[in-house]
Amino acid sequence: MRLSIASGVATGAVAIALYPLFQGGAWFWSSLGAILVVTGIGALAGHYTLPGWLAPPAQVLAVWIYLTATFAGDEAWARVVPTWDSVARLDRLLTTGFADIQRFAAPVPDSTGIVLLTCGGVGLIAVLVDLLAARLRRAALTGLPLLALFTVPAAVVAEPISWPAFIIGALGYLGILVADGRERVSHWGRAVLVRRTSSFTVTRPTPSDSGALRLSGRRIGFTAIALAVLLPALLPTMEPNPLFSFGVGNGRGGGNSISIPNPMVNLRGQLSLPENSTVLTYRASDSTPRYLRMYSLDIFDGEQWTMSEPRGRPEDRTSDAPMPSPPGQSSSVPVTPANLTVTVSDQVRRLSFLPLPYPVSRVTVAGDWRPDRDTLMVFSTRNTAGGLTYQAVTAEPKPTVDRLKAAAPPAAAIRERYLALPENLPDEIRQLALQETERGASPYEQAIQLQEFFTESGGFTYSLATQGHNGPALTDFLIRNRTGYCEQFAASMAVLARVLGIPSRVAIGYTGGSVTSDGWQVRTHDSHAWPELYFEGTGWLRFEPTPAGGAGQGSATVPSYTLPEVAPDAPDEPSAAPSSGPTGSDSPTGPANDRRDEILDREFGGALTPVDEGTPLAAKIGIGVAIALLVALIPALVRWQLRVRRGRSYTRRAADPAGGGPAVPDPGGAASPAAVREIRREPAVTVAWAELDDALCDYGMSRQASESPRALAGRLAEQYRFEPEAAAALARIASAVERTLYARTPGEIGTLREDMRSVRRALAATVTRGRRIRAVLLPPSTLLRMRALGGRVLDGFDRLENIRLRRPVRKGA
């Protein structure tokens, strides 16, 4: 029974870590109900000693009944007993929940389907934990299902798990181990003590002493939790992805790392939002809309597109220097210069990348923002973009068709990074790329043919109902249904371009938006993905395979250099502005209350990525060593502070009845309680005797409990051959203690400061140099006090554990 309760408490404690995934608290209360059901069945099974194999099926059945009553009570018999209609209702809710998880990014709304999924999952975890702990008696293995539940938020959201949630979850697991230990020790039975005398033998059973074992286990557990919390904060960050938000690099705008969301999930969440909220506004000097890019994805592993680690050097700060030159762009390429002023909505949260046109030559923004030299993404580890207003100078290339056709092969570094494809890429995708392009055409002409394949000849349609961007979804999009939204279009064209030997990557950001009286307005439905292809001498150019207008991405535009029969001096973008009406289409189906109405960028999962701050590894190691030394010196600092505090008390005389001092150790001898209280009213004697006791402990010298102060002074002086002055000082201290303890009136007592100093020097002279160094750096007297303090804290937990709720006894019954 105890183990079942501990298992339920541990599951509930670990489930608290799921809070970053949800907007409300309905999931928690529903999950708590499932945990209580599982715990109750397990406790009853333990109380009535039912067969161990019977409890798990009963718990699963109870969870099913609970879910039926909570989520499908109208279709159930008597609102509790499952029926075919209630099963069908739960099935529909589960299907909707899975769809909502794909549609929304964390924190997700408390839709009925999502809450049902969460509640059922937590209930099954509770059943598994109870099975391992209470039925199979393998309490340590419960850490596996608990860890699986604990790592869900760590894998989904970019924000690291908070330390309170970690501590609560760890204490829950520790509670299972403690309960299992008590259960095992209680089965040892009673110890029999045998006392033999000359005439008879006495045997007396005593309860087994498990207190020491439980206390040791708790000490180990609490120590492990404390180390897990404190060590990451004390040591320099050596790994790029810490799990918890302790120390440097927690992704909150500080330290040496940056929180990178999952751009694809981000994109999907914004396009699906029912509220088309304003993300930013901007003004351009040439009144021309421009795509604003945030992320550049260059890695395709066969399942998804991801981005390499952005690295911003200190000397590249936007406030200190202009932007690096665009990779691959020759100075002879004509450009279209323009100045932009961008204002990001203050409702945008945790956005560490600036939406900017590509390329930009100068960015003027408040804060520590740095560009990645390879991609020109501008990001910050300390600041966020919400509420910022910044200026950007862009110089977009205006290439001619002849220049693009005659482009030289890309450099080796570009080919190695931007032509990489997984070996298991389906052959049908490779054949499709060759089939839709002319073999003798230039890379530029093949790129135009790929774009026309998606927008004209391929029979593709735009829809937000398509789920996913992994390998199977990509194959299904290209070969079978050919229905998707900008994510599939951009990712597919980039893959096909790499098959043809054209370096490519996927950009995530926003289209130009819709025109207003004061410039341009970009909304959440203007979120967009597009491919960028590389041509030597011109650099990276945007292509647009996604259908535009009412049948596609409403504000998407096709670059002029990809249109047929374009004049060399044509503007880079179409002069016609996109419609200012509602953008985007194919909003997800379903109840409105199941849709998220918050602004973008709340947090969409990802990893923490290191940023090059220019700090040498040796400096980081030095900082870590310095912090470790400061921690190691804590006992010495505590001892020094205690001596200083005692030094102030030396000057206080016995005539000062209000003067108190630190608790003095038992000076030995038959001192009455009244005498002990008397010595506590003599600060000079108290601190001198306490300091002498600590000095003996620090230098490894013993003091017999039965020794009187005079006997102790005589033995020390004789054993260690004190000089006359030191022996006389020690005798004066012992005499003051005895007079304070036993005399009717102790008489005049000096400060004893100089006497104690003389005795300490005499004691130090009798030990080795190593002992003296240890007495200063790691004083044993302080370590013993710290150990005693920890013992008292753990004893407090023991007292809490021993609390028993008893029913009041009725009098006069």
Side-chain angles (χ1 to χ4, degrees), residues 135-326:
R135 314 304 152 199
L136 302 180
R137 304 304 299 274
R138 296 291 186 270
L141 293 181
T142 59
L144 296 178
L146 292 176
L147 182 63
L149 183 64
F150 190 74
T151 54
V152 170
V156 174
V157 298
E159 191 75 15
I161 299 173
S162 63
W163 65 266
F166 165 70
I167 291 178
I168 293 174
L171 289 177
Y173 178 61
L174 182 62
I176 293 182
L177 299 181
V178 171
D180 181 69
R182 293 190 60 183
E183 192 77 11
R184 293 177 184 274
V185 171
S186 65
H187 293 166
W188 290 357
R190 294 170 175 263
V192 179
L193 299 181
V194 180
R195 185 177 62 187
R196 297 184 182 275
T197 64
S198 58
S199 58
F200 58 89
T201 301
V202 178
T203 61
R204 180 167 56 89
T206 60
S208 58
D209 183 12
S210 60
L213 291 174
R214 296 199 305 271
L215 184 59
S216 297
R218 273 187 288 273
R219 285 175 175 169
I220 294 173
F222 282 110
T223 301
I225 295 174
L227 290 177
V229 173
L230 296 177
L231 279 183
L234 298 176
L235 299 178
T237 302
M238 305 299 289
E239 295 292 336
N241 188 19
L243 179 61
F244 308 110
S245 58
F246 311 131
V248 182
N250 57 19
R252 295 183 179 181
N256 194 36
S257 65
I258 184 172
S259 175
I260 298 177
N262 186 322
M264 289 300 190
V265 178
N266 185 329
L267 174 66
R268 175 69 190 188
Q270 295 177 48
L271 290 174
S272 302
L273 289 175
E275 293 293 333
N276 195 15
S277 305
T278 299
V279 178
L280 58 87
T281 58
Y282 69 95
R283 298 189 305 273
S285 59
D286 58 357
S287 301
T288 301
R290 283 174 171 80
Y291 278 36
L292 303 177
R293 187 195 64 168
M294 291 188 298
Y295 311 112
S296 180
L297 314 183
D298 60 323
I299 301 175
F300 180 67
D301 58 6
E303 292 292 328
Q304 61 181 346
W305 283 88
T306 56
M307 59 192 297
S308 299
E309 302 172 357
R311 297 190 176 273
R313 305 190 307 179
E315 59 268 26
D316 288 340
R317 290 188 180 94
T318 57
S319 58
D320 299 335
M323 295 282 290
S325 300

Side-chain angles (χ1 to χ4, degrees), residues 499-802:
V499 171
L500 299 173
I502 306 174
S504 64
R505 63 192 186 189
V506 175
I508 305 291
Y510 301 97
T511 63
S514 55
V515 66
T516 66
S517 59
D518 192 29
W520 300 85
Q521 183 181 49
V522 176
R523 298 174 178 266
T524 51
H525 289 182
D526 295 319
S527 302
H528 194 48
W530 62 91
E532 292 180 338
L533 275 57
Y534 180 86
F535 300 94
E536 190 68 33
T538 303
W540 292 97
L541 293 177
R542 174 178 70 88
F543 284 75
E544 187 53 88
T546 304
Q553 176 75 340
S555 53
T557 58
V558 180
S560 60
Y561 48 78
T562 66
L563 297 175
E565 300 180 359
V566 62
D569 56 350
D572 186 50
E573 301 287 352
S575 57
S579 172
S580 60
T583 60
S585 61
D586 297 328
S587 299
T589 60
N593 59 355
D594 285 350
R595 300 292 176 262
R596 198 171 66 156
D597 58 358
E598 293 183 16
I599 195 86
L600 74 162
D601 290 310
R602 290 292 183 187
E603 195 87 67
F604 298 97
L608 299 176
T609 306
V611 180
D612 183 9
E613 293 281 347
T615 304
L617 179 60
K620 298 179 180 179
I621 296 176
I623 295 174
V625 171
I627 295 176
L629 289 177
L630 289 176
V631 174
L633 289 176
I634 289 178
L637 295 175
V638 172
R639 179 74 173 97
W640 173 81
Q641 189 274 339
L642 180 59
R643 288 180 58 181
V644 171
R645 181 161 57 89
R646 286 172 174 171
R648 298 193 188 103
S649 299
Y650 278 120
T651 60
R652 299 162 72 177
R653 298 292 193 268
D656 182 10
V664 63
D666 183 7
S672 65
V676 174
R677 288 193 298 270
E678 182 69 23
I679 194 173
R680 293 178 186 277
R681 291 199 296 268
E682 298 290 346
V685 178
T686 298
V687 298
W689 185 256
E691 185 64 25
L692 176 61
D693 193 68
D694 285 348
L696 293 174
C697 181
D698 293 340
Y699 293 126
M701 300 175 184
S702 61
R703 179 176 66 84
Q704 303 299 326
S706 60
E707 278 185 316
S708 66
R710 184 179 306 178
L712 174 64
R715 180 177 64 84
L716 293 177
E718 180 180 357
Q719 180 179 354
Y720 297 107
R721 299 180 181 179
F722 282 3
E723 296 292 336
E725 293 181 0
L730 182 56
R732 284 192 292 270
I733 294 175
S735 175
V737 173
E738 288 186 341
R739 284 186 288 127
T740 302
L741 284 174
Y742 307 116
R744 182 179 298 274
T745 56
E748 181 66 23
I749 297 177
T751 63
L752 302 180
R753 180 198 297 271
E754 294 301 327
D755 290 339
M756 191 59 234
R757 184 176 300 171
S758 177
V759 171
R760 190 187 304 111
R761 285 197 298 264
L763 292 174
T766 62
V767 297
T768 62
R769 178 180 298 177
R771 173 67 70 174
R772 291 196 297 271
I773 294 175
R774 180 188 176 187
V776 173
L777 299 180
L778 292 173
S781 60
T782 302
L783 297 179
L784 289 175
R785 284 190 176 89
M786 297 173 67
R787 178 181 177 183
L789 177 60
R792 286 194 294 271
V793 172
L794 295 178
D795 289 342
F797 284 96
D798 285 343
R799 287 190 288 272
L800 292 177
E801 181 182 303
N802 292 330

Side-chain angles (χ1 to χ4, degrees), residues 235-493:
L235 299 178
T237 302
M238 305 299 289
E239 295 292 336
N241 188 19
L243 179 61
F244 308 110
S245 58
F246 311 131
V248 182
N250 57 19
R252 295 183 179 181
N256 194 36
S257 65
I258 184 172
S259 175
I260 298 177
N262 186 322
M264 289 300 190
V265 178
N266 185 329
L267 174 66
R268 175 69 190 188
Q270 295 177 48
L271 290 174
S272 302
L273 289 175
E275 293 293 333
N276 195 15
S277 305
T278 299
V279 178
L280 58 87
T281 58
Y282 69 95
R283 298 189 305 273
S285 59
D286 58 357
S287 301
T288 301
R290 283 174 171 80
Y291 278 36
L292 303 177
R293 187 195 64 168
M294 291 188 298
Y295 311 112
S296 180
L297 314 183
D298 60 323
I299 301 175
F300 180 67
D301 58 6
E303 292 292 328
Q304 61 181 346
W305 283 88
T306 56
M307 59 192 297
S308 299
E309 302 172 357
R311 297 190 176 273
R313 305 190 307 179
E315 59 268 26
D316 288 340
R317 290 188 180 94
T318 57
S319 58
D320 299 335
M323 295 282 290
S325 300
Q329 182 174 321
S330 171
S331 58
S332 61
V333 176
V335 295
T336 302
N339 297 324
L340 276 73
T341 300
V342 183
T343 301
V344 182
S345 171
D346 56 6
Q347 298 184 54
V348 175
R349 300 289 185 268
R350 303 183 184 94
L351 180 58
S352 301
F353 290 74
L354 293 182
L356 291 168
Y358 182 87
V360 289
S361 57
R362 168 71 75 172
V363 177
T364 304
V365 58
D368 185 0
W369 296 85
R370 307 180 188 185
D372 176 73
R373 281 183 169 265
D374 295 331
T375 62
L376 300 189
M377 294 184 297
V378 178
F379 60 94
S380 176
T381 63
R382 296 177 174 85
N383 307 105
T384 56
L388 278 182
T389 297
Y390 53 92
Q391 290 75 38
V393 178
T394 181
E396 299 178 6
K398 189 174 63 175
T400 62
V401 173
D402 293 338
R403 171 183 283 273
L404 293 175
K405 289 182 178 179
I414 296 292
R415 293 198 305 270
E416 180 180 359
R417 178 173 178 179
Y418 295 102
L419 289 179
L421 287 171
E423 296 181 357
N424 60 350
L425 185 70
D427 292 335
E428 49 191 346
I429 292 181
R430 298 181 184 273
Q431 295 172 2
L432 179 66
L434 299 175
Q435 173 185 333
E436 298 298 332
T437 57
E438 299 178 4
R439 293 185 178 273
S442 65
Y444 165 72
E445 293 171 322
Q446 290 180 323
I448 298 298
Q449 293 164 7
L450 286 180
Q451 179 173 283
E452 292 176 350
F453 168 65
F454 286 103
T455 57
E456 299 177 10
S457 61
F460 289 87
T461 57
Y462 183 90
S463 174
L464 287 175
T466 302
Q467 301 291 334
H469 58 273
N470 54 19
L474 185 66
T475 303
D476 187 65
F477 171 74
L478 281 173
I479 306 300
R480 299 178 182 88
N481 59 31
R482 297 192 173 180
T483 299
Y485 60 104
C486 58
E487 173 188 339
Q488 284 81 26
F489 284 96
S492 299
M493 181 171 176

